[in-house]
Amino acid sequence: MDTHKHGWPPCCKDATLLAEKRLQEKLSFRERFGLGLHLLYCKYCRRFMKQGRIIAAATEQLLQHDESLTLDAQVKAEWELIISQKIDL
Amino acid sequence: MSETTVNGTLSPREWVNRYADDFFRFAMARVSDRIIAQDLVQDTFLSALQSADQFRGHSSERNWLLAILKNKIIDHYRKEGKVVSLGRLEEEDAFFDEKGHWRKEAAPQPWPAPGEQNEFYRILRACIRKLNGLGQAVINLKYLEEKKSEEICKELSISPSNYWVLMHRARLHLRSCLEKNWLK
C-alpha cells in the first residue's frame, strides 16, 4: 500500500486492504466512502470479502480443534523421566 | 511422585503435567513445526531446571517458565533469520497488476455452496501450512489464540500497517490456494 499511488475511489488492492484495516480500526470518512463505492461496482472485491468471511470462520473451527496440536503421551513421559533424572543427580 | 520442590516454590516434577500441553500449543502457534515446538518446550524445562536458583518467586512458576519459552522462540526466529523481515512483503504481486486491479487469473471466482465439508477443511489445513512463517504466525495468533491485533503486533514487533498488510497477504494466499485446490 505504500509504494503505489493511491487513487480514489480505491483500486482493488487498496479496497481489500481497507477492508482488512476496517477490522482493526475506524476508517476515515474518505476511506469508508471509497471502500463502499468500490464495492458497489466491483464484484471481485465483493466476492473476496464474502469468501474471506467463510475462510475466517472455517480457519477458526479448524485451528481450535486441531489434533496435531496435542502432544504425544510418549513425549510427555520422556520429559518426565528426563526431568526426574536431572533432579536426582 | 514425590513432592520435590526446588527453592521452595518450584515443582519440576509437576511441570510436564501442568504446563506441557499449553506450552506446546503456544510454541506450535509460533513455529508451526511439531518437532521444533517439542524441542523448544523440552529446552525450556531443561533450562529452567538449570537456572532454578534464579527463580525469586516474583512471578508465578508458570509465568517464569513461559518467559523462558518466549526467549527460546525468539532465539529460534533469530537463528532462522526470521526476525520479522518485512522486505519480502513487496514481493512481486501475483494478485494485482500495477494499477492495483485484480489480475485476470487471480480474480475471485464464484464459489458453489460447500458440499463435502471435510474436503474443504483438509485443503484449508494444507493451504495454511503453505503460508510463509510470518503469515502462519498471524493466522495462528488470531484464530488459534484469538489474540487482538495490538497483541499480535507487539509480539511480532510489527506496526499496525505491517499487520494489515501481512493479514491481507495471508488471506489472498489462502483464498487463492483454496480456489485452486478445492474447486478443481
Side-chain angles (χ1 to χ4, degrees):
Chain A
M1 192 163 184
D2 299 310
T3 50
H4 74 111
K5 288 199 181 102
H6 305 302
W8 200 89
C11 60
C12 301
K13 185 174 181 176
D14 288 349
T16 49
L17 200 49
L18 283 173
E20 187 65 52
K21 185 178 174 185
R22 187 175 65 171
L23 298 177
Q24 324 304 329
E25 65 180 60
K26 205 166 170 3
L27 298 181
S28 70
F29 176 76
R30 184 185 155 85
E31 289 173 324
R32 216 162 54 235
F33 191 60
L35 175 60
L37 192 60
H38 182 98
L39 291 177
L40 275 181
Y41 60 72
C42 181
K43 67 177 175 191
Y44 295 120
C45 287
R46 284 201 303 272
R47 269 181 207 153
F48 179 78
M49 288 178 61
K50 186 178 165 198
Q51 292 167 359
R53 286 190 289 271
I54 296 172
I55 295 170
T59 303
E60 195 170 339
Q61 271 292 316
L62 183 71
L63 292 180
Q64 299 283 325
H65 303 100
D66 193 345
E67 281 169 17
S68 74
L69 295 174
T70 317
L71 267 173
D72 295 336
Q74 197 192 342
V75 172
K76 289 204 264 187
E78 272 170 36
W79 288 353
E80 291 199 333
L81 189 65
I82 296 172
I83 289 174
S84 59
Q85 280 170 345
K86 296 260 176 194
I87 295 172
D88 296 336
L89 272 182
Chain B
M1 216 163 255
S2 71
E3 279 296 307
T4 307
T5 56
V6 175
N7 209 13
T9 35
L10 295 175
S11 340
R13 286 188 205 276
E14 297 297 323
W15 286 352
V16 174
N17 183 27
R18 282 183 193 160
Y19 311 117
D21 289 314
D22 273 3
F23 285 8
F24 178 66
R25 273 178 87 88
F26 184 91
M28 275 297 279
R30 287 154 182 84
V31 299
S32 299
D33 180 293
R34 282 189 79 82
I35 303 296
I36 295 171
Q38 280 179 15
D39 284 351
L40 289 168
V41 177
Q42 181 176 328
D43 282 356
T44 298
F45 290 147
L46 295 181
S47 299
L49 272 182
Q50 274 181 343
S51 49
D53 55 340
Q54 289 166 29
F55 179 71
R56 295 281 177 271
H58 294 315
S59 54
S60 68
E61 178 184 68
R62 183 177 196 283
N63 286 345
W64 183 70
L65 289 167
L66 193 56
I68 298 174
L69 174 59
K70 283 178 180 170
N71 280 325
K72 300 266 174 215
I73 292 170
I74 291 168
D75 285 347
H76 167 75
Y77 282 148
R78 286 214 183 97
K79 265 185 233 153
E80 298 277 299
K82 277 185 186 164
V83 178
V84 187
S85 71
L86 290 159
R88 280 178 306 157
L89 284 178
E90 290 305 329
E91 71 202 22
E92 203 202 320
D93 203 316
F95 302 102
F96 303 101
D97 63 20
E98 25 338 301
K99 285 184 177 158
H101 297 145
W102 289 102
R103 287 185 190 279
K104 200 173 161 209
E105 63 279 12
Q109 298 307 304
W111 285 2
E116 176 57 83
Q117 288 283 333
N118 288 340
E119 181 69 354
F120 183 84
Y121 281 111
R122 189 184 65 74
I123 295 167
L124 176 59
R125 183 193 301 273
C127 289
I128 292 173
R129 294 213 171 118
K130 271 174 66 182
L131 292 172
N132 68 26
L134 215 46
Q136 277 193 40
V138 289
I139 291 286
N140 281 330
L141 292 175
K142 180 168 174 60
Y143 293 107
L144 174 63
E145 302 209 343
E146 299 177 301
K147 281 196 183 294
K148 293 207 164 60
S149 55
E150 305 91 76
E151 297 173 289
I152 299 176
C153 289
K154 202 174 151 206
E155 179 165 340
L156 298 174
S157 315
I158 56 178
S159 68
S161 61
N162 287 159
Y163 171 82
W164 307 321
V165 173
L166 275 172
M167 198 48 118
H168 183 237
R169 299 306 292 184
R171 286 194 211 276
L172 284 164
H173 280 286
L174 276 185
R175 201 209 65 82
S176 121
C177 174
L178 268 166
E179 189 164 294
K180 273 184 203 139
N181 295 288
W182 174 52
L183 293 182
K184 269 189 311 195

